[in-house]
Amino acid sequence: MNVIHPFIGHFEGQGTWYDAAGKSQAYRVSQTLSASDDGFELAFRHDFDDGDHTDAMMQMRWIAPHLFALEMNAVPVGHGYVFGDTLHYHLLVGGKVVEAAYRDVGEGELVVLGSSSSNTEGNFIAWRETLEHKKGHS
């Protein structure tokens, strides 16, 4: 069964990234995950302390129990899975391998861990986010 209920909704919170050169930076996260007829969609915005921001939208289509294909702008870019309290995906975008894991830790809170093989400066990068479900948002 493809259960994504704990991950559905609008979430907001904070994150911090760390790169292999020893740099780090905090950022704010706004994310919405919504069910679709054949899977679900994930949209997020990261607002960094230096004024930059990143926006992304991904479509996940079920391909088998627990497993999904990931698309961006209708182009296949990766795969993922959902098992219990964990949603994980990986994708190849711009020659970079990106992976992220969302863990439902209860009380409407998600912890997100992720990494990319390269940031804009060419360094390995990883991040951690803590997100809180915001009721009343669609």
Side-chain angles (χ1 to χ4, degrees), residues 30-93:
S30 178
Q31 168 188 296
T32 302
L33 192 142
S34 55
S36 64
D37 290 339
D38 59 352
F40 53 102
E41 295 183 354
L42 174 64
F44 65 80
R45 179 179 173 104
H46 294 168
D47 288 300
F48 300 95
D49 285 352
D50 67 2
D52 278 347
H53 72 274
T54 298
D55 294 289
M57 179 175 274
M58 298 176 269
Q59 300 79 36
M60 284 72 158
R61 313 261 183 248
W62 296 117
I63 58 174
H66 304 283
L67 307 179
F68 57 86
L70 192 150
E71 300 176 354
M72 295 180 82
N73 300 316
V75 175
V77 293
H79 291 91
Y81 58 84
V82 179
F83 290 113
D85 63 0
T86 303
L87 181 155
H88 182 271
Y89 62 82
H90 68 270
L91 62 123
L92 181 63
V93 60

Side-chain angles (χ1 to χ4, degrees), residues 7 9 29 56 99 117:
F7 309 102
V29 179
E99 62 83 27
S117 58

